[in-house]
Amino acid sequence: MAVALLSLASCGGPAAGGLNAPTADGWHTFEGTWTVSGTRTTLDLGPNHTASNFQMNGTLVLTESTLAVGFRAEVIGFVDSQSGMVGRAVWTDERGDKVFSELKGQVETGNRIAGTFLGGSGRYAGATGEYEFEWKYVLTPEDGTMSGRAVGLKGRMGPGAPSGSVPPAEGVR
């Protein structure tokens, strides 16, 4: 936890007054890094078939962003080695405002994960948009603990949230 807080503190914060301005079309774009650790429970379902549930938390730092800079990020999910991964994530910024998203991916075909924003609280109420990344395991010992990171994290958060953003002209998406 101390490392997470130090990471967030060293990144500074959003521009005075909250969020930075959205792009010309009303979207907040971002790129960044996401590192997490947590636990995983795995069930062996036969040859070349496993199912696992996981719960992880860590830091999400946006380096190219019109949003806040740092978030505490929590994620829970389920992975079936044959049918893929589904999960839910909550990003909490320095003010306690939250962004909610769902995650889906195919872990057996390159670990590509796609996220879809499902709304939020405070300045992220009504959040729309998407993000993507490639999942890389850093450590997966046999005791059920795990850690990893998102590579190539990028996305956009759409009009309707965060508060203070300017929605795009009608018909623009």
Side-chain angles (χ1 to χ4, degrees):
M1 187 61 143
V3 172
L5 292 174
L6 182 58
S7 294
L8 290 175
S10 68
C11 293
L19 301 172
N20 297 322
T23 60
D25 62 0
W27 288 86
H28 291 270
T29 60
F30 60 87
E31 293 181 23
T33 60
W34 187 1
T35 56
V36 294
S37 62
T39 59
R40 172 177 64 183
T41 304
T42 302
L43 182 62
D44 184 357
L45 298 173
N48 301 317
H49 191 188
T50 60
S52 303
N53 66 346
F54 62 89
Q55 180 173 359
M56 298 182 289
N57 60 65
T59 58
L60 186 134
V61 178
L62 302 179
T63 55
E64 299 291 328
S65 174
T66 57
L67 295 170
V69 174
F71 295 84
R72 183 182 74 231
E74 302 171 84
V75 61
I76 62 170
F78 176 79
V79 177
D80 183 296
S81 63
Q82 293 183 356
S83 62
M85 186 275 293
V86 294
R88 298 294 183 268
V90 177
W91 302 355
T92 306
D93 72 10
E94 76 283 356
R95 293 178 11 180
D97 294 340
K98 297 179 179 188
V99 182
F100 311 125
S101 62
E102 71 177 348
L103 300 169
K104 293 182 181 179
Q106 291 298 327
V107 295
E108 296 300 315
T109 57
N111 292 335
R112 293 298 307 166
I113 308 296
T116 303
F117 293 116
L118 302 174
S121 67
R123 58 186 168 171
Y124 306 107
T128 61
E130 62 277 332
Y131 60 100
E132 64 181 10
F133 58 90
E134 182 179 348
W135 174 251
K136 295 286 186 183
Y137 288 102
V138 175
L139 183 62
T140 57
E142 294 298 318
D143 67 356
T145 61
M146 62 186 285
S147 61
R149 63 188 174 94
V151 175
L153 174 71
K154 63 181 178 177
R156 64 188 193 146
M157 184 177 293
S163 62
S165 66
V166 178
E170 190 167 321
V172 175
R173 278 247 178 234

